[in-house]
Amino acid sequence: GGGRDDVIPTEASAVVGFPLSELTRAREAVAEAERELISEFGRTDPHLQLRLEQPEHASDVALSEESTERLLDLLLLLPLGALRASPEAPGSVETSVGLARVRQEATGMLEVLVLARSSQSAALEGLRDRIDRLASRVVATAAWGASTPSWAPDRGSALLQAAQEAFRRVEGRTASVAVAHAGLEVAAIKEKIPDMDMVSYGPDVAGARAPGECVKVDSVEKTWELTRRLLSHFAAGATVDVQIDL
């Protein structure tokens, strides 16, 4: 399952072989697994469903028992989900790992793609070390691709304070400041220019990084007004290095 590197899959499938005489027991096992999963995840995934279907043509390739056990060990022992909350922003995630894709790359080769994120560089490196060691234990090779640099929150940021005041004037309420647990362009810039002060904001988005993602159009105008006020503030005499990610 899985189609993109940075999105949690909405569906997945597996081809399992067993004697036709065991079909009834297999259906019962799938139904029981579905009941257990709905009991655990029904509130967060109300449309969760398991189906057992017979393919038109049987596969002539299968994992060996040893390879199956190694794959299951890897999937079950990977540190997945939200692993640590941000001490700087209560309610926000600091470090996480998402399982993005599992697929057969070639005969005899399986790919398990995970996306590791953290606002702390040291935490991200430690997480990679854990996954590297796990991969070696199941005779797999861990290969890390390019990633977005970490961006640690700065509660003392002058630009953040100015943005909060501009937001209050536009919205008539206090801004809720959060740590963005995602890859942002500002993090890449911060890595190159560490002393630059920066914030990230934008219009309201629903269903981010998932099928059906959309933007609330009426919030775009407010975002523009916030940007205009913020730039006017600094044009009037305040001095600070600014990088705004819309």
Side-chain angles (χ1 to χ4, degrees):
R4 291 185 55 187
D5 297 359
D6 58 346
V7 175
I8 297 174
T10 57
E11 60 182 33
S13 63
V15 178
V16 182
F18 52 82
L20 191 60
S21 59
E22 298 292 324
L23 181 58
T24 299
R25 288 183 58 192
R27 293 188 187 280
E28 292 172 350
V30 169
E32 176 62 23
E34 183 182 59
R35 285 192 293 271
E36 293 177 354
L37 290 172
I38 290 176
S39 175
E40 183 176 358
F41 301 107
R43 287 184 176 273
T44 55
D45 294 280
H47 303 296
L48 189 152
Q49 184 182 37
L50 294 184
R51 296 195 306 270
L52 179 62
E53 300 176 346
Q54 290 182 262
E56 293 183 6
H57 304 286
S59 175
D60 57 356
V61 178
L63 292 177
S64 65
E65 184 175 349
E66 179 188 358
S67 295
T68 300
E69 291 298 326
R70 283 161 45 196
L71 176 61
L72 289 174
D73 284 346
L74 178 61
L75 294 177
L76 293 174
L77 295 176
L78 274 171
L80 298 176
L83 304 178
R84 182 179 176 184
S86 171
E88 296 289 338
S92 298
V93 176
E94 178 201 271
T95 305
S96 74
V97 178
L99 179 60
R101 184 170 66 231
V102 178
R103 69 180 180 185
Q104 184 173 335
E105 279 284 277
T107 302
M109 181 182 295
L110 288 169
E111 177 194 58
V112 178
L113 180 67
V114 297
L115 181 62
R117 286 192 174 118
S118 180
S119 58
Q120 299 293 335
S121 299
L124 187 59
E125 287 302 317
L127 191 55
R128 288 178 173 178
D129 287 342
R130 288 175 60 186
I131 294 175
D132 286 345
R133 294 182 67 84
L134 173 58
S136 67
R137 292 296 186 273
V138 297
V139 198
T141 301
W144 294 99
S147 63
T148 304
S150 300
W151 179 25
D154 179 9
R155 288 291 181 177
S157 163
L159 179 56
L160 174 60
Q161 295 173 15
Q164 286 179 292
E165 176 60 21
F167 182 91
R168 186 186 66 79
R169 292 178 178 273
V170 172
E171 292 280 355
R173 57 188 174 91
T174 302
S176 177
V177 180
V179 177
H181 193 62
L184 297 177
E185 292 81 356
V186 288
I189 298 173
K190 185 74 170 178
E191 184 182 44
K192 301 298 182 183
I193 314 174
D195 294 330
M196 180 180 285
D197 198 2
M198 53 183 64
V199 295
S200 174
Y201 62 89
D204 296 332
V205 174
R209 297 181 298 280
E213 176 179 357
C214 62
V215 63
K216 296 182 179 179
V217 177
D218 61 346
S219 68
V220 175
E221 183 177 1
K222 292 181 179 180
T223 301
W224 162 244
E225 179 60 18
L226 172 59
T227 303
R228 189 191 66 78
R229 285 179 178 269
L230 192 55
L231 293 177
S232 296
H233 169 74
F234 292 112
T239 58
V240 66
D241 291 326
V242 180
Q243 166 64 34
I244 298 176
D245 177 58
L246 297 179

